[in-house]
Amino acid sequence: MAEDKRRSACLYHEMSPFIPDIPVGNTQMNTPNPLTLTTEVPEVVIQRLPLYVRVLTQFAQMGMGVVSSEQLGELLQMTPAQIRKDLSYFGRFGKQGRGYNVKHLSDELRRILGLDFSWNTAIVGMGRLGRAVASYPGFEREQFRIVAAFDANPDLTGMRVGDVVVQPMSELTATVRSKDVRIGIVTVPAAMAQQVINALAAAGVKAILNYAPYSSQAPAGVKVLGIDPVLALQSMTYYLKKQMVSSPVPR
Amino acid sequence: MAEDKRRSACLYHEMSPFIPDIPVGNTQMNTPNPLTLTTEVPEVVIQRLPLYVRVLTQFAQMGMGVVSSEQLGELLQMTPAQIRKDLSYFGRFGKQGRGYNVKHLSDELRRILGLDFSWNTAIVGMGRLGRAVASYPGFEREQFRIVAAFDANPDLTGMRVGDVVVQPMSELTATVRSKDVRIGIVTVPAAMAQQVINALAAAGVKAILNYAPYSSQAPAGVKVLGIDPVLALQSMTYYLKKQMVSSPVPR
DNA sequence: ACAAGTGTGTGCTTTGTATCACAATCGGAA
DNA sequence: TTCCGATTGTGATACAAAGCACACACTTGT
């Protein structure tokens, strides 16, 4: 039977400290050379996993015990085949004829993504945007703990935002290390963004969420992801404009 | 010479009311059947155009008159070839041996995207998140005008947020039509998101920015784009976790 | 116990996107 | 004016992702 395409599943299991004891016989670790056979999981797939987690949560709230890839696909607007293929990168989570156990798959995906414990984050830039982001409950709800906040403006030092007190930039490196901050959130003006990103990277932060409307240079080994609602709107207007031309009367 | 691959450039020029008078001889409109030859511009390309606009603005602020695709590529972390190819979907904006005129290219891209005039938007959900989004200056700065705000909670009706006054949901349809709202911003709780999206769509809105952490079903003909910083963080943790396993001592 | 039905996992095909490589073109220097 | 270095625009190519289709596994009902 099929015993060749264990590709990235192997890679993954190697990274993972605990292998799930799914009743599936073929966990043969016959990987010839784990360093050469680096068949990575595509980044797009990784980016879709949180989506799967989210809809699984929705299904769980609806009281459903099992879901099929077709049901998932309908909610996510994608083909069942793609979902199955994505999941197959990490193992065999479904049962033929039944589908996927909602709770089990959700837990597995959370574990794969590293969402089974909480991550310490620091936010830099305590202006209007920064305060809004810091007080947004969505992060804490998903186990992202904001454990520190910084701002260059000395007037803001000492101000309480949520559970933390604003610190001056000079304390960034020390605090990041002492509080084991792994994720940085940048909410400073565009002109300051790059230098803040560099400072965070220098302090050892490896993942940064950048709210500044600025195309940043990611320091080596650091993942910087931009969040910019304006960029999103700006690409939608292209399609809006096209529609207007085809039907000039707006309604 | 090359006179076959005018593909989507033709399509685009057809949509566009004003054709730029770039000194380029071959604007031959020999498209056989504009309806059959629908070689669309890839969506990924459209999504990158705002990025180009943004860095061009940066270059302009730096006082640069012309840029090469290589310079753009360095700032955007992508290959020069890709930038050139993306731009070639819409026309010939550069000059061999020189590069692109920053101001000219920026203006052209803005026009292509429909950013040469302002767009009316309405925001639904005036909770903490909604108020933060409504008062974020980034939208107005890029010509997205928030002309209406709605909330289901009657206590909020009449409250002033930025330049607008919060209205009840019952007035949504009428206001969207009378104020020519083309874009909707959804900042309601996840459980309410779908019904708000449907209401906006029914009122004629064709583009929606959804801040709710919920995988929505886009009504036919409507583009719904989700903004969720948590999803972004959740995919980054995958890589953070991998790094931790390879170097167990965090620093 | 077996047959019918359902839905997974995955090899193969198709589609789509990024990259390469080079001819065509431009501006400036000699 | 002509040559030279630079950089575009784009066909061709390589790569990656999505979708298809089916064997196989599991469940349920009889």
Side-chain angles (χ1 to χ4, degrees):
Chain A
M1 55 185 68
E3 59 186 7
D4 37 17
K5 268 286 182 58
R6 277 270 54 83
R7 311 182 309 167
S8 32
C10 279
L11 179 86
Y12 167 66
H13 281 147
E14 234 201 328
M15 291 303 187
S16 173
F18 15 64
I19 296 167
D21 40 21
I22 303 166
V24 122
N26 68 344
T27 316
Q28 9 85 312
M29 286 305 242
N30 62 351
T31 318
N33 186 339
L35 287 166
T36 314
L37 184 64
T38 307
T39 317
E40 291 278 358
V41 180
E43 186 158 346
V44 256
V45 174
I46 301 299
Q47 284 168 353
R48 278 194 291 263
L49 296 187
L51 275 171
Y52 298 159
V53 173
R54 191 205 258 168
V55 295
L56 284 168
T57 308
Q58 283 176 219
F59 275 115
Q61 284 170 353
M62 289 162 59
M64 297 188 61
V66 288
V67 278
S68 66
S69 57
E70 182 148 349
Q71 292 172 302
L72 289 169
E74 195 175 340
L75 215 59
L76 286 163
Q77 313 263 55
M78 54 201 296
T79 65
Q82 181 162 40
I83 294 171
R84 294 201 300 271
K85 183 150 252 186
D86 283 357
L87 297 178
S88 78
Y89 279 106
F90 304 98
R92 300 153 150 257
F93 306 110
K95 283 208 175 69
Q96 280 95 334
R98 290 291 284 166
Y100 301 90
N101 179 304
V102 174
K103 174 92 169 68
H104 177 243
L105 181 56
S106 178
D107 287 349
E108 286 296 314
L109 291 180
R110 290 196 111 96
R111 197 175 51 67
I112 290 165
L113 283 167
L115 301 176
D116 48 351
F117 55 92
S118 60
W119 291 91
N120 291 341
T121 72
I123 181 165
V124 184
M126 280 292 112
R128 193 188 264 287
L129 177 60
R131 290 193 295 267
V133 171
S135 57
Y136 175 59
F139 293 110
E140 299 280 343
R141 199 188 295 143
E142 292 291 338
Q143 314 298 330
F144 292 100
R145 299 248 161 82
I146 297 175
V147 297
F150 303 92
D151 200 291
N153 182 352
D155 296 348
L156 298 182
T157 301
M159 185 180 71
R160 186 165 201 85
V161 176
D163 291 340
V164 296
V165 170
V166 180
Q167 297 173 258
M169 292 299 289
S170 56
E171 296 176 7
L172 191 143
T173 303
T175 306
V176 161
R177 294 193 180 160
S178 68
K179 294 202 170 166
D180 193 27
V181 169
R182 299 299 176 89
I183 297 172
I185 300 178
V186 176
T187 48
V188 298
M192 293 289 105
Q194 188 64 57
Q195 97 185 49
V196 167
I197 288 169
N198 293 346
L200 282 166
V205 170
K206 292 280 186 291
I208 295 173
L209 198 60
N210 177 29
Y211 277 84
Y214 163 82
S215 291
S216 63
Q217 304 290 94
V222 177
K223 253 195 154 21
V224 180
L225 203 73
I227 289 274
D228 189 345
V230 173
L231 279 189
L233 284 184
Q234 286 180 328
S235 60
M236 290 208 285
T237 54
Y238 174 79
Y239 299 102
L240 284 177
K241 187 181 167 178
K242 279 199 358 183
Q243 282 185 336
M244 283 171 58
V245 175
S246 51
S247 66
V249 184
R251 165 75 53 107
Chain B
M1 56 185 68
E3 58 186 9
D4 37 16
K5 269 285 183 59
R6 277 269 53 82
R7 313 180 308 167
S8 33
C10 278
L11 180 85
Y12 167 66
H13 280 148
E14 232 200 329
M15 290 302 186
S16 171
F18 15 65
I19 297 166
D21 39 23
I22 303 167
V24 122
N26 68 343
T27 316
Q28 8 85 311
M29 286 306 241
N30 62 350
T31 318
N33 186 339
L35 287 166
T36 312
L37 184 64
T38 307
T39 318
E40 292 277 355
V41 180
E43 186 158 346
V44 255
V45 174
I46 302 298
Q47 284 168 352
R48 279 194 291 263
L49 295 188
L51 275 171
Y52 299 159
V53 173
R54 190 205 258 169
V55 295
L56 284 168
T57 308
Q58 283 176 221
F59 275 115
Q61 284 169 352
M62 289 162 59
M64 296 187 63
V66 289
V67 277
S68 65
S69 58
E70 183 149 351
Q71 292 172 301
L72 288 169
E74 196 175 340
L75 215 61
L76 286 164
Q77 313 263 57
M78 54 202 293
T79 65
Q82 182 163 41
I83 294 171
R84 295 202 299 273
K85 180 143 255 190
D86 283 358
L87 297 178
S88 78
Y89 279 106
F90 304 97
R92 302 153 148 256
F93 306 110
K95 283 208 175 65
Q96 281 95 333
R98 293 290 286 167
Y100 300 90
N101 179 304
V102 173
K103 174 90 169 68
H104 177 244
L105 181 55
S106 178
D107 287 350
E108 285 297 315
L109 291 180
R110 292 197 110 96
R111 196 175 52 68
I112 290 165
L113 283 167
L115 301 176
D116 48 352
F117 56 92
S118 59
W119 291 90
N120 291 341
T121 72
I123 182 165
V124 183
M126 281 292 111
R128 196 187 262 287
L129 177 60
R131 289 194 295 268
V133 171
S135 57
Y136 175 59
F139 292 109
E140 298 280 343
R141 198 188 295 141
E142 292 290 339
Q143 314 299 328
F144 292 100
R145 299 246 162 83
I146 296 175
V147 298
F150 303 91
D151 200 291
N153 181 351
D155 295 349
L156 298 181
T157 301
M159 186 181 70
R160 186 165 202 86
V161 177
D163 291 339
V164 296
V165 171
V166 179
Q167 297 173 257
M169 291 299 288
S170 56
E171 296 177 8
L172 191 143
T173 303
T175 307
V176 160
R177 294 193 179 159
S178 68
K179 292 202 172 168
D180 194 27
V181 169
R182 300 298 176 91
I183 298 172
I185 301 178
V186 176
T187 48
V188 298
M192 292 289 106
Q194 189 64 57
Q195 96 185 50
V196 166
I197 288 169
N198 293 346
L200 283 166
V205 170
K206 292 280 187 291
I208 294 172
L209 199 61
N210 177 28
Y211 277 84
Y214 164 82
S215 292
S216 63
Q217 305 289 94
V222 177
K223 255 199 153 18
V224 179
L225 204 73
I227 289 274
D228 190 344
V230 173
L231 279 188
L233 284 183
Q234 286 180 329
S235 60
M236 290 208 284
T237 54
Y238 174 80
Y239 299 102
L240 283 176
K241 186 181 169 179
K242 280 200 357 184
Q243 282 185 336
M244 282 172 58
V245 175
S246 51
S247 66
V249 184
R251 162 81 55 109

